[in-house]
Amino acid sequence: MTNTHPPSPVTGQHTPQQAAWSLDASGIPLTLRLSGNWDVEHGGMAPFPQDGLHTATPGQVLQLDTQQLENWDTAFISFLWDVKQAANHAGVQFDPSTLPGPAQRLLALLPPEPAKPPAAQKAPAPFLDRVGDKTLRCLDETGTVAVMAAETAKGALKALTGKSGMRLKDLATDLWNAGPSALLIVGIVNFLVGAILAFVGLIELRRFAADIYVANLVGIACAREISAIMTAIVMAGRTGGAYAARISTMLGNEEIDALEVSGIPVSTYILLPSILSLSLMMPLLYIYGTIIAIFGGFVVAMTMMSGTAIGYLTTTVNGIALHEFIFGFIKSFFFAGFIALAACRVGLKAGRSAADVGIAATRAVVIGIVGVIAMDALFAIIANVLDI
């Protein structure tokens, strides 16, 4: 039996110049005869119906007769793709061997099946569910970081007896990177901050004829707050980002997996030197940064006021109490521990691709800076309660 389908309404009457097809289901194999011009200029052809082969027996072979085929373009390929989908739907084997070579190659580039429609977006969870989920995640991360801090403290105590398993070479390298290598950037930042603070302070204090008190302003502000915060921010961007990038790179290279398979604890071999070195160096960098900041204020003050250098330095020494340095020193230690723990945790949570390394470094810097400022606010509240 032969099923002949007239051309689509846009092609006009069935003439040799118009695209036409007919299905011969009487023989074996099935034969789809194609004739006419199958291009957009002559109107192309309507899509082949998906149930156009419903009368065929599953397992049959569908061949194409193209002896009367004239011109064709992508409209012909689109029609053939519809035929192929209908054949797959009916369980018929589509045989493109009789097609022109370019048509076979173009047809082979098309996907075997139509693209699936995008999945319907799920309705957002209720507000309280989202808040509860984020709260649980935050508590889980807090617990994980607390465990890391406890393991680091335990490893540091064992390091005093030489039983921590930490390599001294790694500790020495991290101490150098977190300490002497950072002197230049920490010094420049604190010098400029002290100079700016002195410049602004002199402009305001000069209105009240209290120029000399700029020494107290710069000294107390830098010793108590500014040097500790600026040093921590610099180290969060410099060292914290480096820790996260290094650990995430090791994770992508499967070095972390190799350590775990070998039974070497990651907390001792990798995390302990990093956290311990930054915790030891940050307070020292704070002292250094405070001195440099006071010197920056001294340089600006000497160029803008008529006082003597001895008088300025004497006012600075007399105006800064020892507990201001102790308070800043303690804050720097906690800042360093937070930056190192956050950076290591972010590095361990990173993905394994090259892009994840940059994402981990950026996230570690952001978390470190925001966390340092939040911790400083907490210390300010504690200092106010204790009247420090």
Side-chain angles (χ1 to χ4, degrees), residues 150-224:
E151 292 179 351
T152 302
K154 187 184 300 183
L157 294 177
K158 290 183 179 180
L160 298 177
T161 61
K163 298 180 180 180
S164 65
M166 175 183 61
R167 297 196 309 175
L168 294 180
K169 178 181 178 180
D170 295 337
L171 178 61
T173 301
D174 288 337
L175 284 173
W176 175 264
N177 292 331
S181 296
L183 289 176
L184 180 60
I185 182 65
V186 170
I188 291 175
V189 171
N190 280 280
F191 178 87
L192 294 176
V193 169
I196 294 171
L197 187 61
F199 179 78
V200 175
L202 275 172
I203 293 176
E204 295 298 322
L205 292 174
R206 187 167 290 170
R207 300 178 180 180
F208 307 97
D211 300 26
I212 191 60
Y213 289 104
V214 72
N216 301 67
L217 172 66
V218 174
I220 295 175
C222 292
R224 186 180 182 89

Side-chain angles (χ1 to χ4, degrees), residues 5-371:
H5 294 254
S8 61
V10 298
T11 60
Q13 300 296 323
H14 182 199
T15 65
Q17 289 77 25
Q18 298 296 325
W21 62 270
S22 62
L23 179 64
D24 183 3
S26 60
I28 299 177
L30 293 173
T31 303
L32 182 65
R33 293 186 173 87
L34 308 170
S35 61
N37 293 290
W38 292 76
D39 51 20
V40 177
E41 182 180 358
H42 292 84
M45 190 65 188
F48 188 83
Q50 189 173 4
D51 59 348
L53 301 175
H54 67 280
T55 59
T57 304
Q60 283 187 290
V61 177
L62 176 64
Q63 289 187 346
L64 304 174
D65 184 358
T66 59
Q67 294 181 1
Q68 298 181 6
L69 180 67
E70 299 179 19
N71 298 325
W72 61 272
D73 59 10
T74 53
F76 179 58
I77 303 301
S78 177
F79 178 80
L80 292 177
W81 193 72
D82 291 336
V83 174
K84 185 177 180 181
Q85 300 308 312
N88 293 337
H89 183 72
V92 176
Q93 182 179 353
F94 180 79
D95 182 13
S97 59
T98 58
L99 293 173
Q104 295 185 36
R105 290 191 290 270
L106 289 174
L107 187 61
L109 295 176
L110 296 176
E113 296 180 357
K116 296 182 179 180
Q121 295 184 352
K122 296 182 179 179
F127 175 75
L128 292 179
D129 288 354
R130 297 198 301 271
V131 172
D133 184 61
K134 290 184 179 296
T135 303
L136 291 176
R137 291 182 183 178
C138 182
L139 293 176
D140 181 65
E141 285 298 316
T142 303
T144 302
V145 174
V147 171
M148 290 175 57
E151 292 179 351
T152 302
K154 187 184 300 183
L157 294 177
K158 290 183 179 180
L160 298 177
T161 61
K163 298 180 180 180
S164 65
M166 175 183 61
R167 297 196 309 175
L168 294 180
K169 178 181 178 180
D170 295 337
L171 178 61
T173 301
D174 288 337
L175 284 173
W176 175 264
N177 292 331
S181 296
L183 289 176
L184 180 60
I185 182 65
V186 170
I188 291 175
V189 171
N190 280 280
F191 178 87
L192 294 176
V193 169
I196 294 171
L197 187 61
F199 179 78
V200 175
L202 275 172
I203 293 176
E204 295 298 322
L205 292 174
R206 187 167 290 170
R207 300 178 180 180
F208 307 97
D211 300 26
I212 191 60
Y213 289 104
V214 72
N216 301 67
L217 172 66
V218 174
I220 295 175
C222 292
R224 186 180 182 89
E225 294 289 342
I226 295 180
S227 292
I229 293 177
M230 295 308 300
T231 302
I233 291 176
V234 169
M235 297 307 290
R238 181 185 179 277
T239 306
Y243 285 172
R246 181 178 65 184
I247 295 175
S248 60
T249 301
M250 296 178 67
L251 188 65
N253 294 337
E254 299 183 354
E255 297 177 48
I256 302 294
D257 299 334
L259 290 175
E260 293 176 349
V261 170
S262 302
I264 300 175
V266 177
S267 59
T268 300
Y269 193 79
I270 297 177
L271 304 187
L272 180 58
S274 302
I275 299 173
L276 191 60
S277 60
L278 188 59
S279 299
L280 292 176
M281 288 293 104
M282 181 84 83
L284 301 180
L285 288 174
Y286 154 75
I287 298 295
Y288 164 77
T290 303
I291 295 173
I292 295 297
I294 293 174
F295 178 70
F298 168 78
V299 172
V300 172
M302 289 299 97
T303 59
M304 294 182 61
M305 58 185 291
S306 58
T308 63
I310 297 299
Y312 184 92
L313 295 177
T314 302
T315 304
T316 300
V317 172
N318 294 334
I320 306 176
L322 180 61
H323 67 82
E324 305 288 358
F325 283 100
I326 296 176
F327 186 62
F329 189 89
I330 294 174
K331 286 200 300 185
S332 297
F333 177 79
F334 283 96
F335 289 166
F338 173 79
I339 293 170
L341 286 171
C344 292
R345 177 57 182 165
V346 169
L348 290 174
K349 285 182 58 180
R352 296 178 180 267
S353 66
D356 292 325
V357 176
I359 295 174
T362 303
R363 187 172 297 170
V365 173
V366 173
I367 293 175
I369 293 175
V370 175

